[in-house]
């Protein structure tokens, strides 16, 4: 495994963050029994992918210098 990727593209990191948030929500009394962690992880990853695509498009549209 020589390739690297940003931390925010790691499914393991997002699954861990969601697990921690779910556990913290349970500690604070939020009902967490109906949450499917794997489905929530996939939804978060899809949202991040969509947002990063929009940022890339708007970044290129509003760029003042060309790529060289």
């Amino acid at each position: 495994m020589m390739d690297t990727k940003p931390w925010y593209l790691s499914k393991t990191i997002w699954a861990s963050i969601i697990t921690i948030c779910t556990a913290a929500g349970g500690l604070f009394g939020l009902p967490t029994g109906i949450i499917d962690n794997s489905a929530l992880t996939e939804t978060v990853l899809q949202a991040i992918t969509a947002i990063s695509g929009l940022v890339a498009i708007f970044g290129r549209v509003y760029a003042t210098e060309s790529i060289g």
Side-chain angles (χ1 to χ4, degrees):
M1 241 183 6
M2 300 300 288
D3 296 333
T4 61
K5 62 181 173 184
W7 68 269
Y8 53 84
L9 294 179
S10 172
K11 288 184 181 182
T12 303
I13 295 296
W14 282 108
S16 299
I17 289 170
I18 290 170
T19 300
I20 291 167
C21 290
T22 303
L27 286 173
F28 292 113
L30 296 173
T32 58
I34 58 172
I35 296 175
D36 180 10
N37 281 346
S38 61
L40 183 58
T41 301
E42 285 300 317
T43 302
V44 168
L45 288 173
Q46 290 172 0
I48 289 171
T49 302
I51 291 168
S52 66
L54 287 172
V55 168
I57 290 170
F58 286 115
R60 189 66 252 157
V61 168
Y62 292 110
T64 58
E65 297 178 7
S66 64
I67 299 173

